[in-house]
Amino acid sequence: MFKNYFFYRDKELFCENVPIKELAKEVGTPFYLYSKKAIEDKIKSYKEAFKNYPTLICYAAKSNSNLTLLKIFQKNGFGLDTVSGGEIYKGILAGFEASKIVYAGVGKTDEEIKYAINLGILSFNVESEQEVDVIDYLAGKLGKKANISIRVNPDVNPKTHPYISTGLRKSKFGIDIDEALKVYKKAVKRKNLNVLGVHCHIGSQILDISPYREAVEKVANLVFQLKKDGIELEYFDIGGGLGIKYKPEDIPPEPKDLADLILPIVKETGLKLILEPGRSLIGEAGALITQVIFTKNKKDKHFIIVDSGMNDLIRPSVYNAYHHILSVERKDKKVVADIVGPICETGDFLALDREIDDVKRGEYLAVLSAGAYGSSMSSNYNVRPRAMEILVDGDKFFIIKEREDYDYLINKELKPYCFVKDNL
Ligand code: LLP
C-alpha cells in the first residue's frame, strides 16, 4: 500500500513535515507541491517489482517534466519516455543518457527526428509506415543509423476514459497489429535503421489491469511470428498507463500486480522489457495548493472561488476527472459547493457539487493527485502566469519552478510588438 505523504496533524494539513498553511503564507498561491518521499516510494515499488527481469523503466516525461523531478528519476537509473523534441531536450539537460530515451508520437517533425537521431536515442517508437520511410531517409542524410521500434495498436479496450484510451483500432496511435508484420519486413530492409523492438501503449489511468494481459499476449504473438520470419528483436515496450487513487475509495493496482500479470508472457519472448509509467510515479506525489478568493451563494448553489482553475489543472474540465480536495485547516462544518477557478469559462471548475469543509475567504485548499498532468498541461489562458512548483523533502522545501510573472508572459511578444506597432 502506498503511504500517504499528505496528511493531517491535528487539524492542519502537512506534506511530509512541512505545514502547508505556513508554506502558502510564505510563498503565496497557487503552487504545485510534491513530496520527494512519495516519489521515491513509487520508484522503489517499480524497481522491486521488476528487479528479477531485465527491465528499463522509462519515466513518461509528459506526466510532469519539471527538471528537478526528472533529475530524481535520472538519478535512480530510470530511462525517459518522450513525445517531443522539447521533452528530449529537457531530459538531456536533466542528465538522461540518450541511450535511455525512447521517443513516441504520431507527429514527429523532421527537425525533431534529426535532433533525436543525432543524439543517438535508444528508440523511436514509430507510429506509421510513412514515419519509417522518413526516419530512414533522414538518418541516411545524417550518415547515421536510427534505432526503431514499431508501435503496434493491439486493439484492446483499456476500460478507461475514451480520451485516454490509445490502443483501440480507431485511435490515431500506432500501426494496426495485423499490418505490423508487413511494416517490419519493410523496415528491416532499410539500411539506415536498426529495428530493435516492439512497442504498445493501451491507455492511461488503468485500474483493472486485465487488458494488459490481452495486449501483451497479442504483441507476444507478433514477436513469435517475427522470429519465424527471421526478424529478431531486443525490446518489448509495453508503455505506461497504471492508474492511481483519485477518489478515496479507489484501489489502484501496484507495479507488482502488473509484473505478476505480464512477466510470464514477456519472458517467453526472451526480450528485454521497457515500461513507460508516468502518472503512477508522480500523480499521487503532488497536490495543487490554492487559496479561496471569494465564496458566494446563488439561489441553489454555493460557490467556492479559488485562485487556481483549468489553467493549472485542466483534468476536471477536459475529462470530468475527480480530484479529491482537502481544506488545509480541517473544519467541522461541511458545505456542498462548486469549487471553481477565476477563468472566464463555465467549464472552469475543480469540483462540482462537492461536499467539502466550509472554507472562507483567505483559507487554503489542497487538490490531491495533481502531480501528473497538472503542471504539464497548464496554460497561460486569460494571461495568468503559471504556478510555482515546490518539492518537499522532510521538513525542508525547495522551489523547483518559480512563479511566472507578467514580464515573462510578454517576453516573446514585446520585441515584435515594438517593431510592428511603429510600422502599422
Ligand atoms: N507512454 C505513452 C506512449 C503514452 O502515450 C503515455 C500517456 C504514457 C506512456 C504514460 O502514461 P501514464 O503512465 O501516465 O498513464 N492527460 C491525460 C493522460 C494522457 C496520457 C497520454 N499518454 C490525463 O490527464 O489523464
Side-chain angles (χ1 to χ4, degrees):
M1 258 309 270
F2 179 58
K3 188 165 173 251
N4 193 359
Y5 291 97
F6 292 90
F7 57 88
Y8 286 108
R9 224 173 252 166
D10 295 326
K11 284 183 181 293
E12 263 218 69
L13 193 64
F14 277 68
C15 175
E16 298 191 22
N17 285 327
V18 171
I20 296 178
K21 183 177 161 190
E22 274 172 43
L23 177 61
K25 280 193 165 162
E26 187 176 332
V27 302
T29 53
F31 58 90
Y32 305 93
L33 187 60
Y34 308 104
S35 153
K36 182 157 178 265
K37 295 224 164 32
I39 300 168
E40 286 168 347
D41 274 9
K42 291 288 182 181
I43 287 175
K44 240 184 252 155
S45 70
Y46 262 102
K47 279 188 163 177
E48 189 62 27
F50 290 91
K51 69 173 186 223
N52 292 325
Y53 195 78
T55 303
L56 177 65
I57 309 170
C58 292
Y59 168 65
K62 61 181 82 62
S63 60
N64 191 321
S65 63
N66 180 285
L67 279 175
T68 307
L69 303 181
L70 291 183
K71 190 73 196 168
I72 295 176
F73 294 106
Q74 186 270 340
K75 273 191 167 168
N76 276 280
F78 277 44
L80 195 67
D81 162 48
T82 62
V83 72
S84 70
E87 286 186 358
I88 296 174
Y89 177 79
K90 287 185 91 172
I92 295 287
L93 202 61
F96 286 92
E97 290 158 44
S99 61
K100 284 188 175 177
I101 295 179
V102 294
Y103 178 20
V106 293
K108 305 177 185 82
T109 65
D110 288 13
E111 282 317 305
E112 290 176 310
I113 292 171
K114 285 192 273 183
Y115 176 52
I117 293 174
N118 276 327
L119 286 168
I121 61 165
L122 173 60
S123 181
F124 285 89
N125 292 331
V126 173
E127 309 232 11
S128 66
E129 221 177 314
Q130 201 170 40
E131 194 186 327
V132 173
D133 296 337
V134 171
I135 296 177
D136 177 50
Y137 169 75
L138 293 174
K141 273 187 82 172
L142 294 169
K144 307 227 163 165
K145 270 200 154 195
N147 301 323
I148 69 157
S149 301
I150 304 290
R151 175 172 185 173
V152 300
N153 189 324
D155 197 24
V156 165
N157 184 354
K159 302 179 203 155
T160 182
H161 191 285
Y163 287 7
I164 52 178
S165 297
T166 45
L168 284 166
R169 192 187 292 270
K170 64 181 183 192
S171 93
K172 69 175 177 178
F173 296 101
I175 292 173
D176 285 348
I177 193 149
D178 26 333
E179 296 286 309
L181 195 58
K182 190 184 89 194
V183 180
Y184 271 103
K185 284 183 177 167
K186 177 174 160 179
V188 290
K189 291 200 192 109
R190 297 304 170 89
K191 57 178 193 309
N192 308 309
L193 301 179
N194 285 321
V195 180
L196 89 172
V198 64
H199 172 270
C200 71
H201 168 82
I202 55 173
S204 201
Q205 185 50 19
I206 296 170
L207 290 173
D208 163 11
I209 59 172
S210 56
Y212 278 105
R213 187 211 308 266
E214 198 190 332
V216 172
E217 272 170 356
K218 281 188 173 178
V219 178
N221 285 335
L222 173 67
V223 174
F224 298 137
Q225 181 62 50
L226 288 166
K227 261 189 197 164
K228 262 197 221 149
D229 292 348
I231 301 174
E232 292 282 344
L233 304 179
E234 195 181 339
Y235 290 102
F236 192 147
D237 182 339
I238 64 146
L242 224 51
I244 63 166
K245 189 195 268 289
Y246 283 108
K247 297 187 175 149
E249 66 271 23
D250 285 341
I251 304 173
E254 303 275 334
K256 167 103 176 51
D257 304 325
L258 183 64
D260 290 347
L261 186 78
I262 62 157
L263 280 182
I265 313 166
V266 177
K267 258 179 204 161
E268 276 183 53
T269 67
L271 305 193
K272 293 178 214 159
L273 180 64
I274 295 179
L275 305 170
E276 302 173 348
R279 187 192 319 261
S280 51
L281 286 163
I282 196 73
E284 287 174 62
L288 174 64
I289 311 301
T290 179
Q291 187 173 34
V292 179
I293 311 179
F294 299 115
T295 55
K296 73 172 169 183
N297 272 311
K298 287 179 99 176
K299 221 180 190 172
D300 301 313
K301 267 235 188 282
H302 181 60
F303 288 94
I304 298 171
I305 302 156
V306 295
D307 63 2
S308 201
M310 65 192 294
N311 51 323
D312 295 317
L313 185 66
I314 204 171
R315 305 193 69 261
S317 307
V318 176
Y319 316 112
N320 207 14
Y322 179 101
H323 281 259
H324 204 54
I325 302 181
L326 298 176
S327 83
V328 167
E329 274 176 300
R330 209 179 348 206
K331 309 265 174 150
D332 295 328
K333 189 171 170 231
K334 308 273 176 205
V335 287
V336 173
D338 281 5
I339 300 156
V340 299
I343 297 294
C344 195
E345 297 272 346
T346 307
D348 174 34
F349 58 85
L350 296 172
L352 297 178
D353 292 321
R354 181 71 61 84
E355 188 180 275
I356 180 118
D357 287 10
D358 187 14
V359 282
K360 306 289 184 213
R361 171 174 162 80
E363 294 179 327
Y364 301 102
L365 293 175
V367 186
L368 301 185
S369 295
Y373 307 108
S375 64
S376 65
M377 292 179 84
S378 64
S379 79
N380 292 124
Y381 188 38
N382 287 183
V383 194
R384 301 194 77 86
R386 280 193 180 76
M388 184 185 263
E389 296 183 66
I390 296 179
L391 179 69
V392 166
D393 185 8
D395 53 12
K396 294 198 291 289
F397 73 88
F398 304 93
I399 292 172
I400 59 170
K401 185 182 177 193
E402 290 170 12
R403 193 182 307 291
E404 292 176 0
D405 55 22
Y406 293 157
D407 276 349
Y408 176 91
L409 292 186
I410 58 162
N411 193 16
K412 296 285 180 192
E413 261 172 69
L414 195 58
K415 225 165 89 187
Y417 168 72
C418 290
F419 174 76
V420 174
K421 82 171 185 334
D422 292 336
N423 290 289
L424 283 175

